[in-house]
Amino acid sequence: MQFGLFEERPQYYTSLDELVSHMMQMTDDPLYPAGTRMVIYRGNPDARLMIIGEAPGTEENRLGKPFVGRSGQLLDQILQAVDLDSEKDVFITNAVFRMPPGTDGRPIRKPTSEEIAWYKPFLLEIIRLIDPAIMILMGNVATESLLERVGITKLRGQWFQWNGRWAMPMFHPAYLLRNPSRKQGSPKWLTWQDIQEVRRKYDELVANK
Ligand code: URA
Ligand code: URA
């Protein structure tokens, strides 16, 4: 997939506000015809820890902010468990910025690889402007976008160096909601190990600086 986008748009925005206002007016993106809302971020633009999810869901589409439905509540709890405040300590965004509507009565489907690739330059601009030290890649869509790899079960729990930043793939909270066991080795149990490792890295790079 080619990022032909850069031929048509300025590659660099001077501020997050400028990028956001441009994105809010966009009408040529692949999910614009679906009529779903542009959802960009919540949290603190000065945070050094960024969380990258998949795409807005129905609650996010309704409210215009990422991770405000059930997955978002679980995400907030995961962060709170290691004393990270989801409004103050983190910046939360997605790999795809409009909800992909489902078919056959389903409200939502997974974003396609073409959609992930199309929105990626915008995610890259968000990362450049926010300048996080650490990124959590929540689920396969986020890893496909930034690492060009999927297979979250194998990828999770490891640090990747991504253009001078640290990136940790983790299970998506929606996956944890479908797999509620807390037994040793379960997705929830593994997520607890992963978030503690993120906290350790955060203390090393951010909190104790
Ligand atoms: N799931 C995501 O990946 N992102 C959201 O914003 C909401 C749910
Ligand atoms: N599949 C996903 O897309 N994400 C997960 O976190 C787990 C399985």
Side-chain angles (χ1 to χ4, degrees), residues 63-131:
L63 298 169
K65 285 186 175 193
F67 281 106
V68 291
R70 283 183 71 212
S71 289
Q73 282 167 18
L74 181 54
L75 173 61
D76 285 1
Q77 286 169 14
I78 291 167
L79 294 169
Q80 274 160 22
V82 291
D83 203 22
L84 292 169
D85 182 309
S86 71
E87 292 301 318
K88 187 169 101 272
D89 299 320
V90 301
F91 179 94
I92 302 177
T93 189
N94 281 309
V96 167
F97 302 97
R98 292 189 204 271
M99 182 178 91
T103 51
D104 303 326
R106 289 172 196 268
I108 185 167
R109 61 167 167 78
K110 250 186 129 86
T112 64
S113 293
E114 288 71 25
E115 287 159 354
I116 295 167
W118 201 94
Y119 290 101
K120 178 173 175 174
F122 293 91
L123 175 61
L124 296 181
E125 266 302 88
I126 292 172
I127 294 168
R128 190 182 66 81
L129 290 164
I130 300 301
D131 192 24

Side-chain angles (χ1 to χ4, degrees), residues 16 19-21 23-24 38-42 64-66 91-94 97 126:
L16 182 66
L19 174 60
V20 166
S21 73
M23 289 176 75
M24 295 307 286
M38 185 63 77
V39 173
I40 305 175
Y41 78 91
R42 72 174 169 98
K65 285 186 175 193
F91 179 94
I92 302 177
T93 189
N94 281 309
F97 302 97
I126 292 172

Side-chain angles (χ1 to χ4, degrees), residues 153 156-157 171 183 185-195:
T153 305
R156 61 138 284 281
F171 286 121
K183 277 204 304 249
S186 68
K188 268 198 169 164
W189 184 87
L190 293 168
T191 296
W192 174 235
Q193 316 306 310
D194 296 349
I195 197 67

